[in-house]
């Protein structure tokens, strides 16, 4: 199924300022890849799957406006008729996204830790259409990146051979592009090869049709209120999108919840508490990794130091596949918990540092003895 609805991307294709490109593979050893999957398709698939369960009822256009998590009462407003509806639940699972109403209710609980961070960058979506024959205008099996230091543009392939293009940039820079001339000048200076791909007219239309959206990162805990309520997905841990792990982290929540329900025979007082205790370290870790990956994608990928380190990691991974798994590979291609991936990287950094020191000491001694 994934082959029919996901487009494999085997590496990053970097677009330089002069329009030339080069590839940085994700996994040169075994050619593992990430997939570009359409949101609508995935949403449709999950909704369709829910129809297989008789005990699932679906309500659309109901907005949660108030929640009492201690007694399980929820008040929704029907967005079509503005009617208020209050229901009582034995268990509330809030999967209502980065601006979660369930989390808002949780914040009233004592000892609930919460922090949020807006980054200074916003994002705006553009589109590269299919070519006149209905094919891709760029090699499809890559995540295309135009890294420009303090900002970047990326493009992901779609099933209809178009590309979803996202420009990430400080809001102050977006503000400066307030006329068609300035926009075109900016694109021709920083993303020259993209102007023809998007098309000048379409670039103007799409850019000025929308406004940049903010990116928020949320850390909080615990994720439960007694055995009554739980938050999962972005509601529990919204992260910036630069590791492509936001949705995956949500699916991991579901897997863990399922495992704990089985382990404790559906006893929610154990399940929800253990979920909170086990999960926060990993979600905090992927949140920090996602922040770091933005700097890597927009800036570090173009630096020689990054490419030397990547080449070293790839070599070690090739020679010792079970012993030296590079950070990106451990996060993306294994089920290693995120916090362990970070620990792994710290340990690798220490080893690398020791190798460099040992090499320098040996070279210095060698030079010293050869002179005497
Ligand atoms: C620009 C961008 C690019 C991204 N790219 C990737 C990527 O490449 N890979 C990846 O894995 N992740 C990516 N993400 C992150 C990903 O979109 C999220 O992690 C994922 O959608 C979270 O799923 P969720 O179900 O927890 O929340 P959401 O997808 O936000 O769903 C929440 C749902 O709750 C509903 N809701 C909200 N409030 C209420 C309310 N009061 N009452 C009733 N319903 C409510 C919403 O309508 C929505 O249907 C990206 C995010 C952004 C912003």
């Amino acid at each position: 199924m994934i082959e029919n609805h996901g487009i494999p991307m085997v590496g990053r294709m970097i677009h330089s300022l002069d329009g030339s490109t080069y590839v940085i593979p994700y996994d040169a050893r075994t050619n593992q890849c990430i997939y570009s999957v359409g949101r609508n398709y995935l949403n449709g698939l999950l909704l369709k799957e829910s129809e297989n369960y008789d005990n699932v009822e679906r309500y659309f256009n109901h907005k949660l406006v108030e929640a009492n998590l201690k007694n399980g009462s929820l008040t929704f407003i029907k967005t079509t008729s503005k009617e208020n509806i209050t229901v009582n639940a034995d268990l509330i699972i809030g999967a209502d996204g980065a601006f979660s109403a369930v989390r808002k209710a949780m914040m009233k609980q004592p000892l609930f830790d919460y922090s949020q961070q807006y980054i200074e960058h916003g994002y705006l979506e553009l589109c590269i259409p299919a070519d006149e024959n209905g094919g891709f205008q760029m090699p499809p099996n890559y995540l295309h990146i135009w890294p420009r230091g303090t900002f970047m543009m990326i493009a992901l392939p779609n099933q209809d051979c178009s590309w979803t293009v996202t420009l990430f940039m400080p809001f102050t820079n977006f503000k400066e592009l307030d006329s068609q001339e300035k926009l075109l000048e900016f694109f021709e200076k920083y993303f020259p090869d993209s102007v023809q791909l998007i098309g000048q007219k379409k670039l103007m239309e799409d850019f000025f049709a929308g406004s940049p959206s903010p990116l928020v990162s949320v850390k909080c805990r615990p994720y439960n209120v007694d055995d009554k309520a739980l938050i999962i997905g972005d509601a529990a841990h919204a992260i910036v999108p630069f590791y492509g792990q936001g949705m995956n982290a949500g699916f991991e929540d579901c897997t863990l919840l399922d495992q704990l329900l089985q382990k404790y025979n559906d006893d929610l007082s154990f399940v929800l508490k253990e979920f909170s205790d086990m999960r926060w370290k990993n979600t905090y870790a992927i949140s920090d990794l996602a922040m770091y990956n933005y700097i890597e994608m927009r800036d570090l990928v173009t630096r020689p130091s990054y490419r030397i380190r990547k080449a070293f990691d790839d070599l070690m991974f090739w020679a010792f596949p079970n012993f030296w798994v590079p950070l990106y590979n451990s996060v993306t291609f294994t089920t290693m918990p995120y916090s362990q991936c970070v620990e792994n990287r710290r340990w690798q950094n220490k080893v690398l540092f020791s190798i460099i020191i040992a090499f320098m000491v040996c070279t210095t001694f060698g030079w010293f003895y050869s002179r005497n």
Side-chain angles (χ1 to χ4, degrees):
M1 189 191 294
I2 186 80
E3 283 75 21
N4 297 334
H5 296 282
I7 300 173
M9 298 182 293
V10 294
R12 294 166 173 163
M13 183 170 277
I14 308 294
H15 292 244
S16 307
L17 262 180
D18 62 6
S20 63
T21 57
Y22 59 91
V23 168
I24 305 178
Y26 286 126
D27 181 2
R29 195 177 67 88
T30 58
N31 264 337
Q32 293 216 68
C33 61
I34 58 174
Y35 287 89
S36 176
V37 181
R39 272 172 200 275
N40 283 348
Y41 166 72
L42 197 57
N43 284 342
L45 190 80
L46 292 171
L47 273 174
K48 189 102 200 96
E49 182 63 24
S50 73
E51 287 170 9
N52 295 332
Y53 297 83
D54 292 339
N55 56 352
V56 175
E57 287 178 47
R58 288 158 297 275
Y59 295 90
F60 297 95
N61 302 314
H62 284 62
K63 185 177 176 182
L64 180 69
V65 283
E66 214 179 303
N68 183 329
L69 303 180
K70 284 275 185 195
N71 70 13
S73 94
L74 298 168
T75 304
F76 294 88
I77 185 162
K78 224 169 155 181
T79 52
T80 44
S81 63
K82 304 288 174 218
E83 180 192 347
N84 267 1
I85 297 163
T86 299
V87 292
N88 274 297
D90 296 329
L91 169 67
I92 297 161
I93 299 185
D96 49 347
F99 303 97
S100 166
V102 180
R103 188 184 66 227
K104 205 168 142 200
M106 242 177 217
M107 286 170 76
K108 294 178 192 148
Q109 299 298 316
L111 301 180
F112 183 80
D113 278 347
Y114 176 81
S115 69
Q116 72 173 37
Q117 184 187 357
Y118 280 99
I119 60 170
E120 59 172 316
H121 296 231
Y123 72 96
L124 194 133
E125 281 190 359
L126 303 167
C127 172
I128 294 177
D131 67 17
E132 62 265 23
N133 302 317
F136 282 109
Q137 291 202 63
M138 299 190 290
N141 297 119
Y142 300 97
L143 194 164
H144 290 251
I145 311 182
W146 289 257
R148 297 296 179 256
T150 55
F151 57 93
M152 72 168 176
M153 192 164 79
I154 64 169
L156 281 100
N158 298 317
Q159 292 291 331
D160 63 359
C161 297
S162 66
W163 295 81
T164 299
V165 179
T166 314
L167 174 60
F168 295 97
M169 197 162 69
F171 279 99
T172 44
N173 294 41
F174 273 114
K175 226 173 175 181
E176 284 163 10
L177 303 178
D178 55 3
S179 71
Q180 295 200 347
E181 293 71 33
K182 284 186 193 167
L183 177 66
L184 194 57
E185 196 185 322
F186 173 80
F187 263 73
E188 279 180 341
K189 182 169 177 192
Y190 292 108
F191 312 118
D193 56 333
S194 76
V195 178
Q196 206 186 344
L197 296 168
I198 300 172
Q200 258 192 45
K201 188 164 167 279
K202 193 164 169 47
L203 172 63
M204 307 294 172
E205 281 170 6
D206 289 355
F207 189 91
F208 291 112
S211 52
S213 304
L215 291 164
V216 70
S217 179
V218 171
K219 283 181 180 171
C220 66
R221 74 183 177 116
Y223 301 129
N224 70 306
V225 173
D226 305 330
D227 59 350
K228 275 302 217 187
L230 183 74
I231 45 173
I232 58 171
D234 274 20
H237 43 72
I239 58 177
V240 291
F242 306 110
Y243 231 108
Q245 284 290 314
M247 194 193 58
N248 191 48
F251 283 143
E252 275 191 9
D253 290 347
C254 300
T255 309
L256 177 62
L257 187 57
D258 188 40
Q259 285 166 354
L260 292 174
L261 285 166
Q262 289 184 36
K263 178 176 169 188
Y264 291 112
N265 222 356
D266 296 346
D267 186 334
L268 294 175
S269 54
F270 288 102
V271 172
L272 302 199
K273 183 177 180 316
E274 189 155 327
F275 181 94
S276 282
D277 291 347
M278 283 179 74
R279 197 67 186 128
W280 73 271
K281 267 192 197 138
N282 292 316
T283 61
Y284 280 30
I286 191 60
S287 177
D288 296 341
L289 283 173
M291 284 284 187
Y292 163 79
N293 217 41
Y294 185 32
I295 305 168
E296 177 169 313
M297 285 175 84
R298 66 178 154 85
D299 190 16
L300 303 184
V301 283
T302 60
R303 296 189 186 202
S305 55
Y306 168 82
R307 295 175 74 181
I308 292 169
R309 173 65 196 260
K310 170 104 175 75
F312 175 80
D313 277 338
D314 285 348
L315 179 72
M316 292 292 281
F317 188 34
W318 174 79
F320 312 104
N322 298 320
F323 168 74
W324 193 282
V325 184
L327 178 65
Y328 187 88
N329 301 60
S330 64
V331 170
T332 310
F333 302 128
T334 74
T335 51
M336 192 187 287
Y338 296 128
S339 57
Q340 211 177 310
C341 299
V342 173
E343 275 308 309
N344 210 32
R345 174 68 164 197
R346 271 197 203 121
W347 163 83
Q348 289 171 357
N349 285 347
K350 276 187 198 158
V351 172
L352 185 58
F353 184 68
S354 308
I355 292 173
I356 292 171
I357 295 290
F359 177 77
M360 282 165 63
V361 168
C362 290
T363 315
T364 310
F365 273 112
W367 176 79
F368 182 76
Y369 281 114
S370 68
R371 295 206 34 171
N372 293 296

